Amino acid sequence: MMMMMGRGGANRVAVLVAKGLGSEVGAPNKWDCWVRGVYGGAVRNGSTLAVSENNNNKENVVKEEKEVMSYWGIKPSKINKEDGTEWKWNCFRPWETYKADVSIDLKKHHAPVTFLDKMAFWTVKILRYPTDLFFQRRYGCRAMMLETVAAVPGMVAGMLLHFKSLRRFEHSGGWIKALLEEAENERMHLMTFMEVAKPRWYERALVITVQGVFFNAYFLGYLISPKFAHRMVGYLEEEAIHSYTEFLKELDKGNIENVPAPAIALDYWQLPPESTLRDVVMVVRADEAHHRDVNHFASDIHYQGHELREAAAPIGYH
Ligand SMILES: [Fe+2]
Ligand SMILES: [Fe+2]
């Protein structure tokens, strides 16, 4: 976290702490979750910088001692970037990074025609209601929390297709990988947003509850009707595009500070070093548009009386 804040937030906070404004920065306002995430944590880190560095050094020594243990002949892999510097992320590797296609049509919409389509459409619209009430215009928090839900369907569907492939001794058409890729991509959205917004205790509790309910509901829904399940995710993604568009508007109006992009985002989306939060929201929104297309496509395959494995999956299509 310190590393991320070091790109701008921590510097500014250090100045504010010196002026005795630390508590003012951390004061709640209408962007409470957002501001506390960007500056609140850095204030705490800034004021304990020397202690933290000492602790970090001690932790590094302990870690290095642990890393020597290699009984199984396995050593942590070290990867270098093209420029020769060490790759710092273990959660994803250089070959998993990509440049988002931001030219994708954001206005595409699947008009609900059948009863199932309408049910999927209105389920999403109804779910949007409490979400709007809870978050209102706190788009940073909203994005972070919704990504915890968005990463569920791909994992559930991928898992179910995996078991189906085992059970029926048949190929998957690449859909297991495609759907797990979607889940991973959504999780990376979460890893990115949690660098700039911090969940409060009741938001964490909400995530646990929602995950428990949504995982089981989607699991059952996918077993009963994959065409409905994929259509619903298609509509969820349409709503995500709308939310990120609103997020961009707030950034442009100056209601949300356009802080430097977190380091994890620079590497994951291969963004230039001077990129900002706005650039990150742009690429995340493009990802959501791709998820929209993939899920509506998957639903269409079912509607046409085919199984997913009969149409090659769009691999690497974020
Ligand atoms: Fe997402
Ligand atoms: Fe998505």
Side-chain angles (χ1 to χ4, degrees):
M1 192 64 189
M2 276 298 292
M3 182 172 59
M4 307 301 168
M5 291 302 173
R7 299 190 71 256
N11 292 346
R12 181 176 161 183
V13 167
V15 173
L16 291 168
V17 168
K19 288 178 180 174
L21 296 174
S23 58
E24 195 177 309
V25 173
N29 61 21
K30 71 172 178 167
W31 305 111
D32 189 31
C33 173
W34 189 253
V35 176
R36 281 158 64 95
V38 175
Y39 297 118
V43 167
R44 191 171 57 247
N45 289 343
S47 63
T48 55
L49 187 60
V51 179
S52 299
E53 278 180 358
N54 282 338
N55 287 342
N56 285 345
N57 287 341
K58 279 179 198 164
E59 278 172 18
N60 285 342
V61 170
V62 174
K63 272 184 192 164
E64 276 169 18
E65 280 171 6
K66 280 183 184 166
E67 281 170 7
V68 177
M69 291 289 291
S70 187
Y71 176 79
W72 302 102
I74 299 167
K75 287 182 183 159
S77 53
K78 284 207 164 46
I79 300 165
N80 286 335
K81 290 205 272 190
E82 280 176 4
D83 62 7
T85 56
E86 194 180 321
W87 182 256
K88 58 187 165 198
W89 312 105
N90 290 332
C91 53
F92 66 102
R93 302 303 166 100
W95 51 89
E96 292 162 26
T97 68
Y98 63 99
K99 280 191 194 300
D101 173 16
V102 288
S103 69
I104 191 164
D105 184 353
L106 299 166
K107 297 225 162 74
K108 254 188 185 168
H109 165 65
H110 179 275
V113 180
T114 67
F115 171 74
L116 268 188
D117 280 358
K118 285 178 184 163
M119 206 165 95
F121 180 79
W122 285 109
T123 304
V124 172
K125 284 286 176 201
I126 289 166
L127 283 176
R128 192 189 165 111
Y129 220 73
T131 314
D132 283 346
L133 271 179
F134 187 81
F135 294 108
Q136 298 189 353
R137 293 164 78 193
R138 295 181 301 136
Y139 289 102
C141 275
R142 184 192 183 110
M144 181 184 62
M145 298 284 284
L146 291 185
E147 294 298 353
T148 68
V149 173
V152 171
M155 181 57 65
V156 171
M159 177 186 71
L160 284 172
L161 290 181
H162 174 79
F163 286 120
K164 188 177 178 185
S165 168
L166 303 180
R167 236 177 17 249
R168 295 195 179 177
F169 301 90
E170 64 187 22
H171 288 224
S172 71
W175 280 93
I176 299 170
K177 195 170 172 55
L179 290 164
L180 294 182
E181 259 184 13
E182 180 193 298
E184 175 66 6
N185 184 240
E186 296 286 19
R187 201 176 59 82
M188 287 304 294
H189 292 173
L190 174 65
M191 298 298 107
T192 298
F193 283 118
M194 72 185 200
E195 292 298 334
V196 280
K198 286 276 170 277
R200 293 170 226 167
W201 69 267
Y202 59 86
E203 287 168 336
R204 284 176 181 271
L206 185 70
V207 168
I208 294 167
T209 312
V210 169
Q211 190 176 91
V213 173
F214 186 64
F215 171 85
N216 287 293
Y218 195 79
F219 179 82
L220 269 179
Y222 201 92
L223 282 178
I224 297 166
S225 173
K227 82 168 83 159
F228 168 79
H230 281 297
R231 187 66 81 212
M232 202 185 93
V233 176
Y235 288 129
L236 272 175
E237 301 292 356
E238 288 184 18
E239 289 296 336
I241 294 166
H242 173 76
S243 294
Y244 282 117
T245 302
E246 294 298 307
F247 195 157
L248 287 171
K249 282 183 195 163
E250 294 298 317
L251 278 164
D252 291 342
K253 281 187 214 157
N255 291 335
I256 299 176
E257 191 175 353
N258 192 18
V259 294
I264 194 167
L266 297 185
D267 282 335
Y268 186 66
W269 284 282
Q270 300 177 6
L271 292 169
E274 65 280 5
S275 299
T276 62
L277 178 60
R278 192 181 194 287
D279 301 307
V280 175
V281 175
M282 288 285 286
V283 291
V284 169
R285 186 175 66 166
D287 286 349
E288 309 299 9
H290 285 101
H291 302 158
R292 170 202 64 193
D293 296 349
V294 169
N295 280 280
H296 279 319
F297 173 52
S299 185
D300 288 349
I301 294 170
H302 282 290
Y303 264 107
Q304 290 163 32
H306 297 288
E307 299 236 17
L308 290 188
R309 65 187 163 83
E310 294 172 53
I315 299 288
Y317 188 76
H318 289 287

